[in-house]
Amino acid sequence: MFNFMKKKSTAKTETPQQKAEIDSAVDKVLLGYEVGANSIATMVTGLERDGDQLTLDLRLPQDSDPETIQKELGQMLRPHGVKTIHMNVRLPATAKGAGASLPKQMPKTTDAMAKQAQTTEASNNNSEPPITKTAPKQSSLAAHPRIRHIIVVASGKGGVGKSTTTVNIALALQKLGNRVGVLDADIYGPSMPTMLGVAEVKPELENEQFVPVNAHGLAMLSIGSLLDSENTPVAWRGPKATGALMQLYNQTNWPQLDYLVIDMPPGTGDIQLTLAQRIPVTGAVVVTTPQHVALMDAQKGVEMFNKTNIPVLGVVENMALHTCSNCNHTEAVFGTGGGEQISEQYHVPLLGQLPLASGIRAQVDKGEPSVLANDDFASYYVSIAENIETNISKFAKPVDDKRIF
């Protein structure tokens, strides 16, 4: 298992084997420790380890005792090399509360537990307001100093051709004269290295930062580029997967880019929410098919972006029409009008409609997507890229040129 937690300076340098052993021990302890009738692992919303220090973000039940939990976890993890536990706890609001849960900052070391327990009752009687911590919003996120626009390509469900559309849109934007990068955020099912024909290429490390892989002129990085083989599974809980995404974004020496196109995993889960709260996104492209069940999930994706204040640049309807290679008969295999329906319902542009064609599939399987191969379907993706460029400037985030990143 590859450890994607961000490196910091520690007194003791761990070998990859030691890292894997300690991370595995932490996972086992969290899975085995129960709060009420549930494993505490199900209550972890954030996890980061820096040497002998472990930071946990927890959403605990109202009747739980955070001090006891921290003390017991400290005792269980100390034999495995974890000497200090930092806990950020969020408890549900009480019946008389304000309706929103309030986080409670825990003491930073297990050695301070006894003193903290003695002063808890007195502290609770103070009239000071509780500490509150709200999730960051897109409007508060500074633009990346070397990336002009970040576009996420998403879908509410899998199997609609999102990744194929992502890689071709990225190549089409490059064909229009832009400097383009691709970040594969599909942690559990990375496909960008294979689609771009660089599955065997590993990124270099320079000053503890990844150097993106050069894939036909695109600056590409994917967790798939860091795994031992294409068959290696990524079996991680949500916090570790989101941590990997943020490391791929933050710990990469991205060159100057006009566009960073992010291939999102299907659904509306942890990775999508983390990205919305921590990465400054210019806008989203939603990919769907005309099929009714695909439209239902695509609508959920649009709603999620609306709730997280990410503009939807438009909708791409994939697999719209199929033309028989023998008789040239054209048929709407998955139905008609799906893209137009979402476009009208949410007042967003229909960026383009793509055919259902075996040639598109064959090209990405060979690592030469349609735009790169300049085949009969390349013009569809170039048209979508042109539509994106037409409207994206009004959604651009202001760049702080004085910021040191």
Side-chain angles (χ1 to χ4, degrees):
M1 180 176 64
F2 197 94
N3 181 19
F4 290 98
M5 294 180 184
K6 187 175 180 180
K7 290 184 178 180
K8 300 178 183 177
S9 58
T10 56
K12 180 180 179 182
T13 302
E14 297 173 343
T15 65
Q17 182 178 357
Q18 290 172 329
K19 283 179 175 289
E21 290 176 353
I22 296 176
D23 289 343
S24 177
V26 170
D27 288 344
K28 289 180 180 179
V29 169
L30 294 178
L31 285 169
Y33 186 89
E34 293 187 352
V35 177
N38 299 314
S39 168
I40 198 172
T42 63
M43 305 169 194
V44 176
T45 59
L47 181 151
E48 183 177 357
R49 186 176 66 83
D50 175 22
D52 59 5
Q53 300 188 46
L54 179 68
T55 301
L56 292 173
D57 296 333
L58 297 169
R59 187 180 296 275
L60 297 176
Q62 182 64 47
D63 58 351
S64 59
D65 185 349
E67 287 84 2
T68 300
I69 291 172
Q70 186 182 37
K71 182 177 181 179
E72 291 178 352
L73 285 177
Q75 293 172 346
M76 297 170 70
L77 289 171
R78 186 174 292 274
H80 302 290
V82 177
K83 298 180 180 179
T84 304
I85 296 180
H86 307 266
M87 282 175 47
N88 297 309
V89 175
R90 184 176 290 273
L91 300 173
T94 60
K96 297 181 181 180
S101 56
L102 302 175
K104 181 177 180 181
Q105 180 69 36
M106 298 301 300
K108 293 189 174 181
T109 64
T110 54
D111 295 337
M113 280 306 306
K115 182 177 179 181
Q116 177 69 17
Q118 294 172 1
T119 59
T120 298
E121 183 176 354
S123 299
N124 288 340
N125 293 327
N126 292 338
S127 59
E128 296 180 0
I131 300 172
T132 59
K133 180 181 179 182
T134 59
K137 296 181 180 180
Q138 277 290 316
S139 58
S140 67
L141 300 177
H144 194 292
R146 296 190 299 277
I147 302 174
R148 184 180 175 195
H149 298 299
I150 296 179
I151 298 175
V152 296
V153 182
S155 64
K157 70 188 300 296
V160 298
K162 171 184 52 60
S163 295
T164 300
T165 302
T166 299
V167 71
N168 275 298
I169 286 177
L171 288 166
L173 288 169
Q174 183 187 58
K175 193 170 185 177
L176 294 177
N178 297 291
R179 297 165 296 181
V180 184
V182 177
L183 174 59
D184 191 353
D186 194 347
I187 301 298
Y188 298 110
S191 55
M192 288 294 110
T194 299
M195 290 185 171
L196 287 168
V198 290
E200 303 301 324
V201 181
K202 303 297 182 185
E204 297 181 357
L205 277 174
E206 186 176 279
N207 297 325
E208 295 192 354
Q209 286 194 316
F210 294 116
V211 178
V213 174
N214 186 337
H216 309 292
L218 300 177
M220 190 279 300
L221 191 62
S222 167
I223 197 174
S225 303
L226 304 171
L227 300 176
D228 295 333
S229 71
E230 294 180 347
N231 298 326
T232 303
V234 178
W236 291 342
R237 297 193 307 273
K240 194 157 189 177
T242 55
L245 167 64
M246 293 312 303
Q247 184 172 353
L248 291 175
Y249 173 74
N250 287 321
Q251 204 170 330
T252 298
N253 187 16
W254 297 106
Q256 290 288 339
L257 298 174
D258 296 305
Y259 293 94
L260 177 64
V261 184
I262 302 181
D263 182 33
M264 298 295 293
T268 54
D270 289 345
I271 291 179
Q272 286 83 352
L273 292 176
T274 295
L275 180 142
Q277 294 174 357
R278 300 178 65 183
I279 295 180
V281 178
T282 305
V285 173
V286 177
V287 180
T288 185
T289 65
Q291 188 178 8
H292 177 64
V293 294
L295 291 174
M296 293 170 59
D297 290 326
Q299 289 170 332
K300 295 175 184 176
V302 174
E303 291 286 355
M304 181 198 70
F305 290 125
N306 288 340
K307 291 181 183 298
T308 54
N309 300 313
I310 294 177
V312 177
L313 303 177
V315 178
V316 173
E317 184 182 77
N318 196 18
M319 308 180 194
L321 293 172
H322 171 67
T323 300
C324 178
S325 57
N326 292 324
C327 66
N328 290 326
H329 171 69
T330 299
E331 182 179 6
V333 178
F334 293 107
T336 60
E340 291 95 334
Q341 178 182 332
I342 294 182
S343 175
E344 294 175 2
Q345 179 179 354
Y346 292 99
H347 306 288
V348 297
L350 178 61
L351 298 173
Q353 294 172 297
L354 299 168
L356 174 62
S358 61
I360 296 177
R361 186 271 311 160
Q363 293 293 0
V364 293
D365 283 350
K366 291 193 303 182
E368 297 180 3
S370 295
V371 174
L372 185 64
N374 198 26
D375 62 14
D376 295 338
F377 310 107
S379 60
Y380 290 94
Y381 297 103
V382 173
S383 176
I384 291 172
E386 289 174 341
N387 290 334
I388 291 174
E389 286 222 281
T390 300
N391 297 314
I392 198 169
S393 59
K394 62 185 178 183
F395 301 113
K397 293 183 178 294
V399 178
D400 183 3
D401 296 328
K402 299 180 181 179
R403 179 183 174 207
I404 299 176
F405 190 81

